[in-house]
Amino acid sequence: MSTAIRVDGLTKLYRRMAPGFRLRTLKSALLEGSLTEGLAPEETIRALDGVTFSVEAGRSFGVIGSNGSGKSTLLKTLAGLIKPTSGRVEVAGRVAALIELGAGFHPEISGRENIYINGAVLGLSRREIDRRYRQIVDFSGLGDFIEEPVKNYSSGMYVRLGFSVAIHTDPDVLLVDEVLAVGDEAFQHRCLRRIEEFLARGKTLLLVSHSLELVEEYADQALWLEAGIQRLLGSPRRVADAYRQAVAEAEGREHREAKDRRLAELAAEDEERVERPVVDAGGTGEPTPAEESGADGPTPASGPEKPPAPAAAAPAPPAPTPADGEEPRRWGSREAEVTAVRLLDAAGAERYHLESGSEVCFEIEVRAHRPLTDFVFGVGLFTPRRVECWGTNTHLAGFAPDRLEGVATVRLVCPALRLVPGEYLLDVAVHARDGYPYDYHRRYLSFTVTAATAGVGLYFPEHRWEFAGTLRWRRLPPPAG
């Protein structure tokens, strides 16, 4: 099989333009043949650094990575829009690129006129564009808007027109950036069907996307870029899982750093509390009779009762509504405060990237600023779209509160956390039995789950397939890479 794309040692440097860096003159650039030649490393931005891969004709190739990792620079180099600083890039056949929103469109002229201009740029004659014009318009779904100036188009309309023109020029290699994410649901489905037809005809696709699921489904091979460096090249599933793990580990580090900062703040507050005497609202400084006797309050048979608020504090307010309309992340009276939450594996190591079915421990550290006799600890697991996966608390588990004071640790151990592969968010809370919130954290931390096989939904039970009768299967080869 022939090679459609070959990239060997691709490196692309940009000169830093920020104040404080020396400017190149046109004369020096012409004499040296480059705007970056002779510059010190700190004076350049290394957008790509020694990237090497190849894509066979008729295959689909995915590129993933965070913002600023060099994905768009790679596509622009493949499309011939920019020249590499060093290395070699070869692309066989006609290339169509959908790289940036509105790229190649003139905003002052109509969509119809832009179709002819873009088609000509992509190598079509006017007669060929005339023959495909109606198909392009029908696929884009723009209707009467095709005669409107492109500057009046929404971002979704830009994508519709750009993809429609690119796919109808019948390219040998199609380069698609993340812009497809701007289109509506129906148009995305239409694009994906056309991409499947495109690949079935033996054409080549290079897809850049932040959707790991899309890359896993449509790519035959994937590349992970990070800060312009080629981190991993191999099967889409392996590359996507490695990327998920790296993201989860980075989030874990951020979580630990935030926890350390919070502990330092609490230590500083404790020092202030020691230096400054505390007097209650009555001015006596003596404990109340209930605190002195350690009374537990009503029994479960008589029903839960709202605990008394501290003498110097008003009752806990309801969860506030931020000005920007987003849901609040934290609320409560802080009579008891969650100071840290960790995810631990079976060996007790802090982990935020788990295998489905593995043992996990949710460890919660709490600090009570006054003795409490009514308290409940709870956790909830959610998807990023706030679909509730599972939740529990100590009250549901049958634990009756007795006394909480000072610093305490609560651990919820799951011997086998069987979740479908994906990303999950953790809510944690400490509250009274009637729901009165002491400290409620929404989306306290996130973690990812992977598995050797795929699944849909939320629950991923241990399972196996069994067959009988005249039914035969052949084993799929293990993923490449």
Side-chain angles (χ1 to χ4, degrees):
M1 188 176 288
S2 61
T3 300
I5 301 174
R6 186 184 301 278
V7 176
D8 186 14
L10 173 60
T11 297
K12 177 61 181 177
L13 301 180
Y14 290 103
R15 180 172 55 85
R16 290 188 181 274
M17 304 294 290
F21 294 98
R22 66 190 176 102
L23 298 176
R24 308 300 306 276
T25 63
L26 177 61
K27 177 181 177 181
S28 64
L30 291 174
L31 290 174
E32 297 176 4
S34 170
L35 286 170
T36 57
E37 189 74 25
L39 291 177
E42 62 271 13
E43 295 180 291
T44 61
I45 299 172
R46 193 169 289 266
L48 294 171
D49 189 0
V51 176
T52 299
F53 66 89
S54 62
V55 184
E56 295 180 347
R59 306 300 293 273
S60 175
F61 189 85
V63 182
I64 63 174
S66 59
N67 291 330
S69 60
K71 304 186 300 298
S72 295
T73 301
L74 173 62
L75 255 68
K76 290 177 182 178
T77 306
L78 293 174
L81 299 178
I82 59 177
K83 181 182 177 182
T85 303
S86 63
R88 185 177 61 175
V89 175
E90 297 176 1
V91 182
R94 175 186 287 170
V95 179
L98 191 61
I99 296 177
E100 289 182 351
L101 194 60
F105 290 157
H106 194 295
E108 299 295 334
I109 62 178
S110 68
R112 178 179 58 81
E113 294 168 307
N114 270 291
I115 289 175
Y116 280 88
I117 292 175
N118 264 258
V121 169
L122 293 172
L124 296 181
S125 66
R126 185 176 182 85
R127 181 174 298 176
E128 288 175 316
I129 300 172
D130 287 337
R131 191 167 59 249
R132 303 177 192 187
Y133 175 78
R134 181 45 52 191
Q135 296 175 355
I136 294 172
V137 175
D138 290 344
F139 186 88
S140 69
L142 292 177
D144 294 339
F145 286 99
I146 202 66
E147 298 296 340
E148 292 294 321
V150 168
K151 67 180 180 180
N152 296 335
Y153 285 11
S154 67
S155 58
M157 294 167 74
Y158 265 107
V159 169
R160 288 184 176 204
L161 186 59
F163 186 87
S164 187
V165 172
I167 200 71
H168 282 92
T169 57
D170 194 26
D172 299 299
V173 178
L174 179 62
L175 309 176
V176 182
D177 204 344
E178 191 64 53
V179 289
L180 277 184
V182 181
D184 58 54
E185 191 79 6
F187 185 73
Q188 286 183 28
H189 293 167
R190 199 183 312 167
C191 291
L192 293 176
R193 286 195 299 270
R194 183 53 65 94
I195 285 175
E196 289 174 348
E197 296 171 3
F198 179 79
L199 293 172
R201 299 204 313 270
K203 307 292 186 174
T204 306
L205 171 71
L206 194 144
L207 172 69
V208 167
S209 179
H210 287 294
S211 172
L212 302 183
E213 293 77 13
L214 186 67
V215 171
E216 287 178 296
E217 182 174 358
Y218 286 94
D220 299 306
Q221 198 175 26
L223 169 68
W224 169 21
L225 290 176
E226 184 175 309
I229 299 173
Q230 181 173 322
R231 283 290 302 271
L232 188 62
L233 175 67
S235 69
R237 183 61 181 276
R238 178 190 172 200
V239 173
D241 278 353
Y243 178 68
R244 288 189 182 101
Q245 182 170 357
V247 171
E249 289 174 351
E251 290 176 345
R253 286 193 297 271
E254 292 174 2
H255 169 67
R256 287 190 288 269
E257 291 169 0
K259 177 197 67 178
D260 292 340
R261 287 194 299 270
R262 182 58 186 152
L263 290 175
E265 291 172 2
L266 288 172
E269 290 175 5
D270 286 345
E271 289 180 5
E272 287 184 13
R273 217 175 269 119
V274 170
E275 294 172 359
R276 186 176 64 247
V278 178
V279 180
D280 65 9
T284 63
E286 297 178 358
T288 65
E291 290 173 336
E292 196 171 47
S293 62
D296 291 347
T299 63
S302 64
E305 182 178 292
K306 181 174 178 177
T321 302
D324 58 7
E326 292 185 0
E327 60 181 358
R329 297 288 293 268
R330 186 182 187 186
W331 63 88
S333 67
R334 309 291 174 86
E335 295 163 69
E337 189 172 6
V338 175
T339 58
V341 180
R342 288 182 289 272
L343 263 63
L344 309 177
D345 61 16
E350 196 166 348
R351 293 283 307 274
Y352 297 90
H353 182 80
L354 310 167
E355 287 289 327
S356 182
S358 61
E359 179 176 326
V360 61
C361 171
F362 301 95
E363 184 179 80
I364 305 169
E365 289 185 3
V366 65
R367 177 189 295 261
H369 297 296
R370 70 177 184 87
L372 297 172
T373 58
D374 186 4
F375 50 88
V376 176
F377 293 92
V379 301
L381 294 181
F382 297 82
T383 68
R385 294 188 178 185
R386 297 304 295 175
V387 175
E388 189 171 14
C389 307
W390 174 65
T392 188
N393 62 41
T394 52
H395 180 70
L396 294 174
F399 290 93
D402 187 2
R403 189 174 182 83
L404 169 65
E405 59 182 317
V407 177
T409 302
V410 177
R411 296 184 181 89
L412 173 62
V413 179
C414 298
L417 187 65
R418 298 198 178 279
L419 293 173
V420 165
E423 182 180 358
Y424 296 90
L425 303 172
L426 182 71
D427 287 9
V428 295
V430 54
H431 56 81
R433 284 171 291 176
D434 68 347
Y436 174 89
Y438 298 136
D439 197 7
Y440 197 109
H441 288 264
R442 192 186 298 272
R443 303 195 300 271
Y444 192 101
L445 55 83
S446 66
F447 62 96
T448 55
V449 174
T450 59
T453 57
V456 295
L458 298 173
Y459 179 50
F460 201 68
E462 185 176 354
H463 62 280
R464 68 175 182 273
W465 291 94
E466 295 181 349
F467 307 99
T470 56
L471 181 64
R472 297 178 60 185
W473 297 94
R474 59 181 181 82
R475 280 286 183 182
L476 290 174

